Amino acid sequence: MQFTDLGVIKDLFNRNGFSFTKSLGQNFLINPSVCPKIAEMGGCNKDICSLEIGTGIGVLTKELALRSKKTVAIEIDMGLKPILDETLSDFSNIDIIFADFMEVDLKKLFEEKFGNEETVICANLPYYITSPVIMRILEEKLPVKSITVMVQREAADRICAKVGSRECGALTVAVNYYSYPKKLFNVSRGSFAPAPNVDSSVIRLDIAPEQKYKVCDEKLFFKIVKSAFSQRRKQMINPLSSELGIEKHKISEIMTDIGIKTTARAEELSMDDFVSLCNGIQKDFVHN
Ligand code: SAM
């Protein structure tokens, strides 16, 4: 049975008394070509495991399970359970956990469910928590090979922008710190039920096997990035000085030393500039 068919979906909903919850980002995929593409371009194969965030009625879960050794999926809405019991009944390699992804102990989950198996994350993300979900996976340094996710087109463009360009934001820098981001393909709003007001894109973040940038203090690095972008179209020296509690002329000296204009805006800096700035500030102020 085709679970991307609107008639089939309506019947499943009616029989199980289910209706969409907009606040949970429940826009389900009804374009049958998208989920197989996410699973394949997300690197699923029979030697590795996959983790999904947000099953909906299981259209992507099924494609992941068909192609991977084992699929674990986390879904917040318990109301989907009877539907998933039906749509995924043929699979013995799927484990669904009904919980809020943001509350799950991910390190424990990885140990218990995947052990040392190579794992990829694939998801059509609920858009209201796109950045927190991505940041959580990256910051916790979970042992995953890649993260392939559908996000709003605007978020995809921001994440995959060049660091040092107008489109770049704090999330761009964070994603580039941990991974190699790439936009895979676009998906139109008509591919979902109900159709959202925006188009989407699928992106893949290939996790760097080793630390890409040598920063002395990761916490300080992200504090600097966050404050530098807090007034993105203005000179970054002002928010940096107030957020870090360091006088402007001292920050200005460090910027000059490492070859950054003191009038620079955050969107003009490269990854190496952010790293040098962090290491300069750390050397001069944090340890003194
Ligand atoms: N994968 C399905 C598809 O492609 O049709 C559903 C995608 S839908 C955009 C997002 C799904 O994430 C919904 O099923 C929603 O209930 C679930 N969800 C929302 N917030 C969540 C959270 N915090 N933790 C886990 N799942 C969540």
Side-chain angles (χ1 to χ4, degrees), residues 267-287:
E267 62 192 34
E268 295 176 79
L269 266 64
S270 67
M271 283 302 290
D272 288 334
D273 289 336
F274 277 112
V275 173
S276 305
L277 186 60
C278 170
N279 291 346
I281 291 176
Q282 204 267 354
K283 183 168 144 275
D284 283 8
F285 295 100
V286 179
H287 274 201

Side-chain angles (χ1 to χ4, degrees), residues 89-149:
S89 61
D90 289 344
F91 293 87
S92 57
N93 63 341
I94 297 178
D95 192 347
I96 300 181
I97 297 164
F98 287 95
D100 179 344
F101 176 79
M102 296 308 290
E103 303 287 323
V104 170
D105 181 339
L106 293 174
K107 291 228 162 80
K108 194 164 152 223
L109 179 141
F110 267 73
E111 266 170 39
E112 285 177 4
K113 304 287 181 189
F114 301 129
N116 291 324
E117 303 277 2
E118 192 165 40
T119 304
V120 294
I121 295 182
C122 293
N124 171 13
L125 283 185
Y127 294 161
Y128 76 105
I129 44 166
T130 298
S131 303
V133 167
I134 294 177
M135 283 314 296
R136 179 152 193 231
I137 301 166
L138 294 173
E139 279 172 355
E140 291 209 16
K141 299 190 173 141
L142 296 171
V144 294
K145 193 170 171 236
S146 61
I147 306 167
T148 304
V149 281

Side-chain angles (χ1 to χ4, degrees), residues 111-251:
E111 266 170 39
E112 285 177 4
K113 304 287 181 189
F114 301 129
N116 291 324
E117 303 277 2
E118 192 165 40
T119 304
V120 294
I121 295 182
C122 293
N124 171 13
L125 283 185
Y127 294 161
Y128 76 105
I129 44 166
T130 298
S131 303
V133 167
I134 294 177
M135 283 314 296
R136 179 152 193 231
I137 301 166
L138 294 173
E139 279 172 355
E140 291 209 16
K141 299 190 173 141
L142 296 171
V144 294
K145 193 170 171 236
S146 61
I147 306 167
T148 304
V149 281
M150 172 110 65
V151 298
Q152 282 189 19
R153 180 104 22 109
E154 201 186 299
D157 291 341
R158 168 78 37 110
I159 291 169
C160 298
K162 188 176 175 294
V163 176
S165 72
R166 236 182 119 69
E167 296 73 37
C168 169
L171 184 59
T172 324
V173 176
V175 159
N176 275 276
Y177 180 80
Y178 294 108
S179 72
Y180 299 90
K182 187 177 176 190
K183 190 163 164 182
L184 298 179
F185 59 93
N186 291 331
V187 179
S188 68
R189 61 194 77 186
S191 296
F192 301 87
N197 295 326
V198 290
D199 292 315
S200 302
S201 299
V202 176
I203 58 169
R204 191 179 66 222
L205 314 178
D206 291 322
I207 304 299
E210 279 164 24
Q211 202 180 337
K212 280 171 84 179
Y213 298 98
K214 303 280 174 257
V215 301
C216 306
D217 182 341
E218 252 175 32
K219 217 169 143 206
L220 176 66
F221 178 78
F222 286 110
K223 192 170 180 188
I224 290 172
V225 172
K226 209 170 150 211
S227 35
F229 279 102
S230 63
Q231 299 171 33
R232 45 184 292 112
R233 304 282 180 231
K234 297 197 179 147
Q235 295 182 9
M236 56 188 253
I237 196 163
N238 297 316
L240 270 187
S241 164
S242 54
E243 297 280 332
L244 299 175
I246 301 174
E247 287 166 75
K248 248 167 94 170
H249 75 272
K250 291 184 177 163
I251 297 200

